Amino acid sequence: MEIRWYGQACFLIKTDGEGKEEVKIILDPPKEETGLKTPSEEAEVLVLSDGKKTKSMPKHRVLIDAQGEYEIKNVFFKGISINSSEIYIIESEEVKICHLGAFAAKE
C-alpha cells in the first residue's frame, strides 16, 4: 500500500485489489480556490467526504460520496455521516484507514 498526501484532506492511495491488480483511490481532491494541485492520475475510486463535486475532479470509474458500505475490487469502504460530512473507513491489504476528510465542526 502506498499513501501520498496532496494537501488539506486530499490523499492518493494505491493498494492491491483482487488478483493483485493495483487500485488507485483519490480522497477529497482540493477545490480550485486553494491553489493546490489535484492528483493527475486516473483513479478507480474517487471519494468525496463533503459530497461537493468540483470542476477539477480527477478522472475516475466509481464515485463514492454518501454513507453506506461499498466493495470495489476487494477494497472495502464504509461511509458514516457526521455533521453534514462523511467519514470513510477503507480496508485493504489487512489495513484499515479512517479518513476524516472535510470534517467540519458546527458552531
Side-chain angles (χ1 to χ4, degrees), residues 31-97:
K31 308 295 184 260
E32 296 85 14
E33 61 270 12
T34 66
L36 297 170
K37 292 186 177 183
T38 298
S40 59
E41 301 185 45
E42 184 173 335
E44 184 70 34
V45 182
L46 177 64
V47 177
L48 300 178
S49 66
D50 63 3
K52 296 178 182 171
K53 299 173 183 160
T54 66
K55 294 177 186 174
S56 65
M57 288 191 341
K59 291 183 181 179
H60 57 280
R61 292 196 174 107
V62 177
L63 175 65
I64 297 177
D65 62 355
Q67 69 181 356
E69 294 184 6
Y70 309 86
E71 179 183 354
I72 294 119
K73 293 190 175 180
N74 210 29
V75 179
F76 301 92
F77 299 83
K78 183 174 183 178
I80 303 164
S81 285
I82 296 181
N83 283 353
S84 71
S85 289
E86 305 293 325
I87 291 175
Y88 287 95
I89 298 169
I90 301 164
E91 186 174 357
S92 179
E93 297 183 48
E94 298 182 15
V95 174
K96 283 186 182 181
I97 297 169

Side-chain angles (χ1 to χ4, degrees), residues 4-12 26 30 36-41:
R4 290 187 205 162
W5 178 57
Y6 284 83
Q8 294 187 321
C10 182
F11 290 87
L12 169 65
I26 296 177
L36 297 170
K37 292 186 177 183
T38 298
S40 59
E41 301 185 45

